Amino acid sequence: MILKRLWILNFIFIPTVLVVWRKISDTNSRPVILTKNGLVRGLKSPNGDYDMFLGIPYGKVRQENPFGIADPYPKYEGIFDAVDDNNPCPQYDEGFNFFAGTLDCLRLHIYTPKKSEKLAVMVYIHGGAFRYGHSGSCNGEKDYDPVYLIRHNIIFVSLTYRLGVYGYMCLGTKEIPGNTAMKDQLLALRWIKSNIEAFGGDPDRITIFGHSSGSISVDFQVHYQHDNLFQQAILQSGTITNMHSFGEANTSLPFIMAENLGFKTRDLDAAIRFLSKQDPLNVIKAITQPALPILIFQPCIEKIFYGVEHFITKKPSELVPKVKNRKFLIGNTNDEYSIVIGNNPDEYFDDDHTIRKYLNYSFNFNEEELKGAVHKLKQFYIGNGEFSRKYRRQMTDLFSDMVHIYPTYKQLNIYHKNEATKVYYYLFTYSGGRNMYRQRNNLTLDTAIHADELGYLFQDLHVKSSSLEDQLMIDRMTTLWTNFAKYGDPVPSTSEILPTQWVPISDDSKAYFRIDKTTKMDTEFLAKNEFWEEFYRQYSKNFKY
């Protein structure tokens, strides 16, 4: 009987102890970091080459006012398990047609190579037209896996911030002055500056970078900075001089949204109280119905209130960038606007309606002035003909130059004028198998459209290519970007991958570094930039922002 009981104890107790021991052993083998908020436990990468800390909270959205400024995240209770990067902010993803997100979304994802020395840090701010986007996983999507960058021994950080109505509602009130998303980013950058050393990062070698509206965000952070939270910046296809980078305060939006959700009122506080209690995804769904007009949420000028941190208080053209003792890498793809109009029918190009509309975003024209401006553009891009589908290629170039390429050129000159240490200018023209947004839009173009370069910086689940040329471009792009982060120079010395010295702009030369199957310093696009420089000079009195 005693032997039988001992056998039963052995059968039950010993395996249980082994299972518990294995769990403890597995837990203890995971990386643990002591931050100023407490202990954070991460994961090892599948190949063991780096550690991942996913979904670290840096801020807390106020439940009573989810449209206003967030609070710093409080101390963790026990060990925070940083294992989940699926925490997007509320949004409608226009690229893949789904709704997702929660307001418990102010999170960071940190990837750290296994190195003993302090490493340069790269902080990525995702784009998405200020309305959508995510830095981790979302609905089975992961656009910004940094495995290619981590190989170069840098620490990579990406951040999630509020978007659309929750990030850019601009009412000009003390409670919701505007630019909440920018303040989320600022809160994240402060957390990174205070804590990154614990992860092996050098707090004095932080480079922030972003693409599209993420790049515009980077530019606004450059203009705002008082805290020396970063030393360098990379701006990819977006600056505050872009025509879609800025808007006006609009107090009518809460009434429209509340009415869409069944609550009609003309009391602003009542509308905000009602919206604050709604499920965030229901709010997003209510303002993205196809039958409704598109509601625009963008950065805006804030009123200054005592005791409230403000971010933007002047028009972009009146802001002075804080660029002294800082280095910048900035540029575009060569066919930016095909991402928007590449699949449009030929009829879209048969008149000047859209050109007039776009000019009115940035300029206050009367009809006669608008007619003269359109004629000037027509003469430069197509000569004596009339706008029509026959000139589809030239009109696409016009939109690319107007919306993206010239604004970038304008801003890099402003940086240089305000004594940035160095400004490196690039143009990405490579057409390969990982041009991710050309693939997503099913475009058969021998060009690089908006966001195509991202496929050579990040591993994307939807883009699979094994060509030797594409692998060379991955190696080239990631080496350029990480060299800049580590050394402040994308080509500190030439090599087989980087055979061309990258010369920063100067008073005498605005040549750019052309990134393609081969690399070279080039000036081919500068004639168009000089045309737009003269265009803006001629109509400077009409310029809105």
Side-chain angles (χ1 to χ4, degrees):
M1 186 72 178
I2 293 171
L3 288 173
K4 187 176 181 182
R5 285 177 180 172
L6 285 172
W7 181 85
I8 291 170
L9 281 171
N10 286 339
F11 182 77
I12 296 172
F13 180 71
I14 293 175
T16 302
V17 168
L18 285 172
V19 168
V20 172
W21 181 83
R22 283 190 189 112
K23 286 184 177 178
I24 293 171
S25 175
D26 177 64
T27 300
N28 288 341
S29 69
R30 287 165 49 196
V32 178
I33 300 292
L34 178 60
T35 73
K36 293 183 180 178
N37 289 71
L39 291 169
V40 175
R41 182 164 50 216
L43 297 167
K44 290 182 177 180
S45 66
N47 62 8
D49 287 349
Y50 57 92
D51 296 329
M52 306 177 292
F53 301 86
L54 308 177
I56 300 174
Y58 67 85
K60 194 160 190 160
V61 175
R62 296 176 183 176
Q63 192 172 1
E64 71 279 8
N65 181 14
F67 312 102
I69 195 166
D71 295 313
Y73 202 84
K75 300 278 187 182
Y76 309 135
E77 294 181 6
I79 300 177
F80 183 85
D81 264 322
V83 297
D84 183 11
D85 67 351
N86 189 359
N87 31 50
C89 289
Q91 62 186 274
Y92 167 62
D93 189 303
E94 297 172 20
F96 291 99
N97 191 29
F98 64 81
F99 293 90
T102 167
L103 287 170
D104 182 18
C105 64
L106 303 188
R107 306 296 183 100
L108 298 165
H109 314 305
I110 303 177
Y111 297 75
T112 62
K114 294 183 181 298
K115 295 290 178 180
S116 56
E117 73 271 19
K118 282 186 185 179
L119 299 177
V121 181
M122 299 185 74
V123 180
Y124 186 69
I125 301 178
H126 71 76
F130 304 114
R131 298 190 300 272
Y132 61 96
H134 46 87
S135 61
S137 299
C138 180
N139 199 41
E141 311 293 338
K142 187 163 184 174
D143 293 338
Y144 307 115
D145 187 328
V147 61
Y148 302 146
L149 293 165
I150 296 297
R151 294 172 186 167
H152 295 275
N153 292 324
I154 54 93
I155 288 178
F156 178 84
V157 185
S158 60
L159 57 100
T160 303
Y161 56 95
R162 282 172 286 175
L163 303 158
V165 57
Y166 291 102
Y168 291 101
M169 187 188 287
C170 186
L171 302 183
T173 65
K174 185 173 183 179
E175 293 73 25
I176 309 175
N179 305 315
T180 299
M182 304 288 182
K183 295 166 190 175
D184 287 349
Q185 297 164 12
L186 184 60
L187 190 61
L189 291 172
R190 286 172 175 157
W191 194 99
I192 293 164
K193 180 76 171 181
S194 296
N195 288 282
I196 201 63
E197 193 166 9
F199 293 85
D202 187 340
D204 295 321
R205 281 198 297 158
I206 295 175
T207 298
I208 65 172
F209 71 125
H211 176 266
S212 194
S213 61
S215 181
I216 294 170
S217 297
V218 167
D219 201 5
F220 273 120
Q221 295 293 343
V222 168
H223 283 73
Y224 173 83
Q225 280 303 312
H226 303 299
D227 303 354
N228 196 31
L229 300 177
F230 57 89
Q231 290 69 46
Q232 303 185 143
I234 300 172
L235 294 89
Q236 299 172 225
S237 301
T239 70
I240 67 172
T241 51
N242 282 52
M243 61 171 50
H244 299 296
S245 71
F246 201 74
E248 306 284 350
N250 188 345
T251 55
S252 70
L253 293 177
F255 304 131
I256 297 170
M257 291 186 294
E259 188 170 349
N260 289 349
L261 288 163
F263 180 66
K264 193 169 184 177
T265 181
R266 298 308 297 171
D267 183 321
L268 185 60
D269 290 338
I272 293 299
R273 283 196 302 272
F274 171 79
L275 292 168
S276 297
K277 294 175 183 176
Q278 304 307 302
D279 182 308
L281 290 188
N282 287 339
V283 174
I284 301 296
K285 288 174 183 177
I287 62 176
T288 53
Q289 297 174 29
L292 297 173
I294 296 174
L295 300 183
I296 304 298
F297 299 97
Q298 295 171 304
C300 66
I301 296 176
E302 301 169 45
K303 289 183 181 177
I304 298 176
F305 297 97
Y306 178 76
V308 176
E309 184 167 28
H310 54 268
F311 196 88
I312 304 168
T313 58
K314 297 178 181 178
K315 296 189 295 184
S317 59
E318 296 170 349
L319 294 173
V320 178
K322 297 175 175 62
V323 297
K324 279 191 177 182
N325 302 316
R326 283 179 169 161
K327 297 177 182 178
F328 297 90
L329 192 154
I330 179 170
N332 299 97
T333 60
N334 65 326
D335 190 15
E336 293 274 8
Y337 221 60
S338 279
I339 194 172
V340 177
I341 61 177
N343 282 320
N344 282 13
D346 285 340
E347 290 78 9
Y348 180 87
F349 301 90
D350 279 341
D351 57 45
D352 61 12
H353 171 74
T354 306
I355 295 170
R356 286 169 165 262
K357 179 175 134 183
Y358 277 36
L359 285 173
N360 282 327
Y361 281 136
S362 297
F363 296 92
N364 286 312
F365 285 134
N366 61 37
E367 180 56 32
E368 194 61 31
E369 290 168 331
L370 181 58
K371 186 178 178 181
V374 171
H375 179 74
K376 191 176 182 71
L377 296 177
K378 183 171 71 72
Q379 286 289 307
F380 184 78
Y381 282 91
I382 67 172
N384 294 321
E386 296 299 325
F387 288 120
S388 71
R389 64 189 69 188
K390 175 182 175 183
Y391 299 107
R392 183 183 183 115
R393 178 69 265 166
Q394 292 89 334
M395 292 174 73
T396 302
D397 289 343
L398 188 162
F399 285 118
S400 293
D401 297 342
M402 176 167 54
V403 177
H404 286 289
I405 293 175
Y406 173 68
T408 294
Y409 182 78
K410 180 179 180 181
Q411 193 65 343
L412 67 87
N413 278 291
I414 292 172
Y415 281 9
H416 179 65
K417 180 182 175 182
N418 284 277
E419 301 180 26
T421 304
K422 286 184 180 176
V423 180
Y424 294 93
Y425 184 23
Y426 76 87
L427 187 71
F428 182 89
T429 61
Y430 177 71
S431 177
R434 297 187 61 84
N435 287 45
M436 54 193 275
Y437 277 84
R438 193 190 64 198
Q439 284 192 24
R440 289 185 183 185
N441 285 270
N442 295 314
L443 294 170
T444 54
L445 297 168
D446 190 27
T447 56
I449 73 170
H450 189 69
D452 268 352
E453 81 276 25
L454 297 180
Y456 304 94
L457 290 171
F458 299 104
Q459 182 171 273
D460 182 281
L461 296 176
H462 298 276
V463 181
K464 294 179 175 64
S465 173
S466 57
S467 81
L468 293 176
E469 284 186 341
D470 289 345
Q471 186 56 55
L472 174 61
M473 185 54 66
I474 290 170
D475 295 342
R476 177 168 288 153
M477 286 291 289
T478 55
T479 302
L480 288 167
W481 263 231
T482 56
N483 274 352
F484 179 75
K486 291 188 283 188
Y487 312 118
D489 186 337
V491 188
S493 59
T494 56
S495 64
E496 186 177 350
I497 292 175
L498 303 175
T500 308
Q501 190 66 49
W502 190 336
V503 182
I505 67 167
S506 66
D507 291 338
D508 300 323
S509 173
K510 301 300 185 294
Y512 52 85
F513 188 80
R514 191 175 191 123
I515 304 172
D516 209 317
K517 292 177 183 178
T518 58
T519 59
K520 64 176 179 176
M521 296 302 301
D522 204 356
T523 59
E524 181 186 342
F525 267 57
L526 295 187
K528 293 197 289 185
N529 286 333
E530 288 163 5
F531 163 79
W532 281 98
E533 195 93 312
E534 173 55 34
F535 184 91
Y536 270 75
R537 260 195 302 270
Q538 181 176 344
Y539 296 110
S540 60
K541 291 181 180 178
N542 304 84
F543 190 58
K544 287 183 183 179
Y545 303 122

